[in-house]
Each structure stands twice: as structure tokens, then as C-alpha cells.
Amino acid sequence: MLQLENLGVRYGNQIALDGMWYNFLPGHIYGLVGPNGCGKSTLMKTAAGLLKNYTGTVLYEGKRIGTATRARVAYLPTHPVYYRYMSVEDMGAFYEDFFKDFDRNEYRRMISFFGLDPEQKMVNMSTGMVAKVRVAATLSRRAGVILLDEPLNGIDLIGQDQVRQIILSLELEGRIIIIASHMFDQLEAVCDHVVMMNAGKVLIHGDLQSLREQYGMSVSDLYRSTYAQLMQMQAGGGMRTW
């Protein structure tokens, strides 16, 4: 279990996470959703052990996030991180050197599924092709927690379908998958739980089927309705028009 207990993060005077509480349970795929600036990426970085300056507690399997837990957490950030000289195959070797749980054969299988050339240099690839390589590298780890921050950004529609197929094929027993996005309609087909955030807090959460039954609509429509109402409130009762 990944536990967030009264988690708070500030960037100067700006509050990114405002005393957030939540338990992410193994065996589930969570959609972490909300508008830009609601705290999704900050939560991801904190859970990955990359942010140190926070209040509250973050625990994985009862241990504080840190050196002991980082080896069990796979994190895909929004911005690409790789060396310009790397080929697609070099990227796999790089991950294999750094992560004991990395499955090189699984990585090669995903690269083939995406139709990518293992010998092509990353620097000569399109944004979408690089994004597919990064997704393949992250999902080829046998980590207990997989954090994917906007994994479909820059990827064409067919590639997005392929990413969703791979995610749905992953073994979930004992694992937590959290996918952050501000476009939940891209995720509803793969997630079984959703956590909607606003202003650094949990706004609505639950398993998708229960939410559909409770609100009488798809969770994507619930997302649109919820955040449209928030925008209307923030605009003083009236929506901005173009």
C-alpha cells in the first residue's frame, strides 16, 4: 500500500499539495486526474522520492519513501530524460544497468510492438516515438509501484491504443499503477479507480463502477461536470465566453 498522510508541499507561497490523505491499494490501476496545477505531478514526484521538502508522511509498505523504497518505484516523468547519443537499444541497456527489476526481453517486445527500430538514435526520433520508448522502458520494470505522469502526451492515436493495451496486460497482483492526466477520457478504459484532485486535495475518489452508478453517468462526464462547476464558481458564477 502507498499511504499519503496529511501530505503538504509548497513552492514558495504557492501550495501544491494541501494536507492530502489517500491510500493507494495493490491490485488496482488509478487515474489521478484534475486540471493543470492541481498537484498531480507534485504528488508523483513526492511518491517517487524525488521531493524532500514536504510535510506529512509518505509510506510504501509501511516504510517511509526514500532509499529503501525507490528501487520498488518506477516513475515516468512528463519531461524526457535520456542522453543524446542513445539508441533505442542503448536506452534498454541504461535501464538494465540502473534497475535490477528491469526486464530487457519485455522491453524489446514492447519496442517491437510499437514498431520502433532498436538501432535508431533517440535524438533523431519524433516526440511521439521518444515517448513510446520511455513508456516501454518504465513498464518493463517489475516494480511494486508504477507512476506514469501524462504517459500519452505526444503519442498518436494508434500509439495511445497500444499503450493502453500494454497497461491492461500488466500483472496487477501486489502492484499499484497510478496514471496522472488532465484528460480522463483517455484513461477511463484502463483504470478501475479514479482520484480527482483540486487545489492539492482529493475532490472525488472511488472505483469507477460505483461512481457510474452513484452519479448516473460515465466518469469522464462526471469529470467534465465537476470541473466545469468549479470553473464557474471561480469565475464568480458565470462561465467565460469566447
Side-chain angles (χ1 to χ4, degrees):
M1 180 166 62
L2 179 65
Q3 299 169 263
L4 312 180
E5 300 178 351
N6 198 29
L7 180 60
V9 176
R10 283 177 174 267
Y11 299 117
N13 293 326
Q14 180 183 352
I15 298 174
L17 294 176
D18 189 11
M20 184 171 172
W21 294 79
Y22 200 77
N23 292 334
F24 294 95
L25 303 177
H28 297 292
I29 302 176
Y30 291 85
L32 183 67
V33 300
N36 295 327
C38 72
K40 302 186 302 295
S41 292
T42 298
L43 190 159
M44 289 278 197
K45 291 174 185 175
T46 307
L50 299 179
L51 288 185
K52 305 296 184 183
N53 190 21
Y54 62 85
T55 58
T57 306
V58 186
L59 303 172
Y60 175 55
E61 295 183 337
K63 298 178 182 177
R64 282 184 173 271
I65 288 292
T67 304
T69 62
R70 274 200 294 268
R72 296 281 294 132
V73 178
Y75 170 53
L76 177 71
T78 52
H79 300 294
V81 179
Y82 61 91
Y83 295 105
R84 292 174 63 83
Y85 68 84
M86 284 184 173
S87 67
V88 174
E89 185 68 13
D90 290 335
M91 187 72 156
F94 178 80
Y95 265 69
E96 190 172 44
D97 285 343
F98 274 87
F99 303 108
K100 293 181 180 180
D101 60 4
F102 183 75
D103 187 332
R104 188 78 167 270
N105 290 330
E106 184 71 359
Y107 173 73
R108 287 171 173 161
R109 191 167 73 91
M110 290 185 194
I111 290 301
S112 175
F113 180 59
F114 283 133
L116 299 173
D117 178 1
E119 301 306 318
Q120 187 169 1
K121 296 291 185 182
M122 304 275 286
V123 70
N124 297 324
M125 298 173 74
S126 70
T127 300
M129 293 168 73
V130 170
K132 292 175 185 178
V133 174
R134 296 173 61 238
V135 166
T138 305
L139 295 183
S140 294
R141 289 187 56 192
R142 304 299 186 186
V145 179
I146 298 176
L147 306 171
L148 306 175
D149 198 351
E150 302 286 0
L152 301 180
N153 273 5
I155 298 179
D156 58 85
L157 291 177
I158 300 302
Q160 290 181 18
D161 287 342
Q162 291 174 318
V163 172
R164 284 187 283 261
Q165 287 179 55
I166 291 173
I167 291 172
L168 287 170
S169 75
L170 296 175
E171 174 59 55
L172 285 181
E173 185 175 356
R175 306 174 86 186
I176 301 166
I177 300 176
I178 306 173
I179 310 172
S181 179
H182 59 278
M183 305 271 298
F184 186 68
D185 54 353
Q186 297 178 341
L187 298 179
E188 186 160 3
V190 298
C191 297
D192 54 52
H193 280 65
V194 67
V195 179
M196 296 187 190
M197 293 183 62
N198 186 60
K201 293 183 177 182
V202 176
L203 186 64
I204 295 174
H205 69 93
D207 71 88
L208 267 59
Q209 188 56 40
S210 295
L211 290 174
R212 292 180 189 118
E213 293 173 359
Q214 179 179 350
Y215 291 96
M217 63 180 77
S218 72
V219 179
S220 292
D221 286 342
L222 175 61
Y223 175 97
R224 291 185 179 91
S225 173
T226 299
Y227 290 107
Q229 290 179 44
L230 283 173
M231 289 177 64
Q232 188 173 22
M233 291 170 60
Q234 291 165 0
M239 288 292 285
R240 296 181 178 88
T241 57
W242 183 255

